[in-house]
Amino acid sequence: KELKTAAVDSLGLDQDDQSPSDHSYLFEKETQFMRTGAWCILEGLAGCSHKGTSNTQSSSNRNQTDTAFDLVKAVTRSKIDGGFLTSAWEKFRKLRGDDNTPDDSKHQLSASTRACLRVMAKLASLVPKAAANETLNEMKSFLLSNSINPDVIAACVSALTALSATVAKNPKEAKAVCGDWSRRIFARCEELLGMFVTSPLKASEESSVTSVTRALFTIGEVAMVGFFADDDGRDNMEVDVKADETEWVRGMRVSPSPKLLSLVQILLPPKLPAMGADEPVHTPST
């Protein structure tokens, strides 16, 4: 509850009646420290959170319970309304786009926005359905309009995926929701990249380069929906797999069209950057 209170207070969520020009106090050093710290800790808790499991030890007939931390249970026990996450996301967006926001605060706002979205992805099941539906539609709109900065796109897609389950009646419907916005985003990105490739004059404009960069990041993140880091070693992680709240989306694949793949291939460099001491590798054809 204390973390939630700090996160809410650091964004002035209880003072929405004020105009953006009255939000200068949100960029005072103490407030920024509190905002960064609160969202950083919440993100850390979300990152290490997973459902515990229990089993019976036959020799002593005693139950042994996994002591893993479950953020969903902790928030539920504290009777916290998950709607504060969607309100926070809305406020972060407004502050990031506000001309009165100091330039030296925008990097911190982006980092806290990512943290907010990652926490939302973990706690999506606790967000009221009406708020989840509204936020899901907003996120879809921003991704379709290509207006999300690259450093936030991955977290936004994760939150959007999780909210799809919140608004759906069952896993099958959740997959259908994900599939719908994935295909729409791919189609929009294909349109954007196509215009860039076929318009040499626009290709030199900074706004066009920014748009293409965002589109490429978006394509990559949406294409990864349904993939999990442990897919290759699933047999060794069966307990964690079953405990994951996002298991419903595992195996869902919405593939970009051949045309979109070709456009991406045209715009990527011949070789990908080297990782550590490794040599650069050729860009994959698919």
Side-chain angles (χ1 to χ4, degrees):
K1 284 186 177 180
E2 287 77 6
L3 279 173
K4 182 257 186 178
T5 299
V8 168
D9 289 349
S10 68
L11 286 169
L13 293 182
D14 295 330
Q15 303 181 38
D16 284 340
D17 56 324
Q18 297 187 34
S19 64
S21 59
D22 294 324
H23 289 162
S24 58
Y25 73 96
L26 294 177
F27 302 105
E28 295 174 356
K29 184 178 294 185
E30 294 78 8
T31 304
Q32 292 200 88
F33 283 162
M34 179 171 67
R35 180 166 56 244
T36 301
W39 287 106
C40 183
I41 294 173
L42 284 169
E43 180 185 16
L45 292 174
C48 69
S49 169
H50 66 89
K51 293 180 180 179
T53 58
S54 61
N55 56 70
T56 301
Q57 187 177 22
S58 57
S59 60
S60 59
N61 197 31
R62 293 174 59 188
N63 288 335
Q64 287 193 335
T65 303
D66 187 350
T67 57
F69 173 71
D70 186 347
L71 183 59
V72 175
K73 287 185 178 180
V75 173
T76 301
R77 284 196 299 267
S78 298
K79 298 181 180 180
I80 294 175
D81 184 349
F84 84 93
L85 294 166
T86 57
S87 298
W89 147 255
E90 179 78 14
K91 190 60 171 285
F92 275 126
R93 284 197 308 99
K94 288 181 178 179
L95 291 176
R96 186 66 179 80
D98 188 349
D99 292 337
N100 294 313
T101 297
D103 289 338
D104 58 0
S105 296
K106 291 183 177 180
H107 176 74
Q108 178 270 335
L109 283 175
S110 291
S112 294
T113 301
R114 287 195 302 273
C116 172
L117 289 169
R118 287 166 181 161
V119 176
M120 190 188 300
K122 175 61 70 173
L123 299 179
S125 61
L126 304 182
V127 176
K129 195 164 185 175
N133 193 60
E134 181 178 353
T135 300
L136 181 143
N137 288 327
E138 287 178 349
M139 288 180 175
K140 286 192 298 184
S141 176
F142 287 122
L143 287 169
L144 285 168
S145 64
N146 206 33
S147 57
I148 300 290
N149 287 336
D151 60 345
V152 181
I153 289 173
C156 184
V157 171
S158 294
L160 181 57
T161 302
L163 289 174
S164 297
T166 303
V167 303
K169 297 178 181 177
N170 51 57
K172 183 178 180 180
E173 185 177 316
K175 283 189 176 184
V177 172
C178 280
D180 177 67
W181 56 254
S182 294
R183 283 184 285 271
R184 290 176 61 193
I185 289 172
F186 280 151
R188 177 56 179 156
C189 288
E190 181 178 315
E191 181 183 348
L192 290 169
L193 297 189
M195 289 190 295
F196 182 83
V197 170
T198 58
S199 303
L201 292 178
K202 286 188 175 182
S204 61
E205 297 176 3
E206 183 178 352
S207 60
S208 294
V209 175
T210 299
S211 177
V212 167
T213 301
R214 289 175 174 174
L216 289 172
F217 271 87
T218 300
I219 293 165
E221 294 302 332
V222 173
M224 291 303 295
V225 173
F227 287 88
F228 285 70
D230 66 310
D231 277 349
D232 291 338
R234 180 168 180 174
D235 291 341
N236 297 324
M237 300 183 68
E238 196 65 28
V239 173
D240 286 342
V241 165
K242 289 180 178 179
D244 198 322
E245 298 92 339
T246 58
E247 170 65 8
W248 61 269
V249 80
R250 184 186 292 273
M252 193 192 88
R253 303 287 187 268
V254 177
S255 300
S257 69
K259 180 180 179 181
L260 180 54
L261 290 174
S262 297
L263 289 168
V264 171
Q265 193 70 23
I266 290 171
L267 292 167
L268 289 179
K271 291 186 177 182
L272 297 176
M275 298 296 290
D278 296 335
E279 292 292 327
V281 296
H282 289 283
T283 300
S285 58
T286 57

